Amino acid sequence: MPVDLAPYAVAPSNSRGRRYREDPPAYRSEFQRDRDRIIHSTAFRRLVYKTQVFVNHEGDLYRTRLTHSLEVAQIARTVARAMRLNEDLVEAISLAHDLGHTPFGHAGQDALNDCMREFGGFEHNLQSLRVVDQLEAGHADFPGLNLTFETREGILKHCSTANARRLGEIGERFLKRQQPGLEAQLVNIADEIAYNNHDVDDGLRSGLIKLADLAELPVVAEQIVIVQHKHPGVSGRREIHEVVRSMIGIFVTDLIDTSQARVHTAAPENIAAVRLQPRALIGFSEPYSEAKTTLKRFLRKHLYRHPQVNAMTEHAQQIVSTLFEVFLDDYQRMPTEHANSAREHHDSEGLAGGARVVADYIAGMTDRFAKQAHENLHNASGSSKAGTS
Ligand code: MG
């Protein structure tokens, strides 16, 4: 960690600490400790087999949740270092931000949210927090990973008022309409830079979108001109790679320049002053914010809703909802540990308690585990459990 952190950065000395008190680490910062706990968690290892856009087994070259999280961390660390923010903290938040994602990307999340509609819904952001606060069982003395307040704050990017009330301290800022720390703001934007650009790359690789179509967007057209000027006649994968590289570069540069200027103008003395700002200080300039929105819109229309992707997501949604129905109907069809937990929560909280345990179990599945569990439902052998997770 750089020693010259900005006064408005989060530092171990101004951290709001952990829910359960622990001795400070001997040779790491508190946030390095958070990052290490995240990397060693079970949920983190599962990210490698979870879909970003393309179902995990469609091809080995597409992004998964794991490589996405690494790209977010890389972008966020670059910006954090340039702005003298806490690099360890942004790394921890980045690596944890998608831990609550269901199998099959957004299709899986939408399906699970539908299934949970009468039981409080399902939201991947909140689920990521639930994973690090409750579901990971890595320590003898406390539930979850017992991460610092600031890492948890960064994971919970948004939440409903009802959930904010229920969550206590970590939900307060949504009720008071305060800002999170700059590191949390930064990871939020780094996430967008990462997925917009890698989805362009994966979309082109898959052939579902074409560079010529993307060139309708001014921000892409500009990069093509720059790339062609620098490397006359370059084509194919090399051209795509150069264009994507160039796009990440200009978005990151704009993010740093704009954020630095806003921080300079607002001149927050410390983290408390950052929280009281009327709006986030980390962000793009107006033109780049617009360019980002246009790019997102393009991807939604031409990639996320492409018939081929749709066919895949419909199948994924069907897998998730079938698993949910079957497990909710008979907890015993889940592995013993989950079945017992569902029964206990059902007894104390009613059906919603049991449903939440079923949702946790399904959300924790990787793409292939969910597919296998679904296939096993149809095997009449009775050995329907795809193994413990
Ligand atoms: Mg993400």
Side-chain angles (χ1 to χ4, degrees), residues 52 65 68-69 72 94 97-98 101 124 157 191-192 195:
Q52 187 66 28
R65 290 270 164 215
H68 162 69
S69 301
V72 175
S94 301
H97 85 285
D98 271 354
H101 255 290
H124 69 86
K157 283 191 279 197
D191 187 21
E192 288 188 296
Y195 68 65

Side-chain angles (χ1 to χ4, degrees), residues 17 31 38 51 53 79 93 115 121 164-165 175 180 182 208 262 282 320-321 330-331 333 335 341 349 360:
F31 306 108
I38 292 157
T51 297
V53 173
V79 179
I93 300 170
C115 296
R165 281 207 193 91
L175 304 174
L182 296 179
L208 298 186
R262 284 192 201 159
I282 306 287
V320 168
S321 30
D330 180 5
Y331 298 144
R333 297 191 76 160
S341 173
E349 301 150 43
D360 286 340

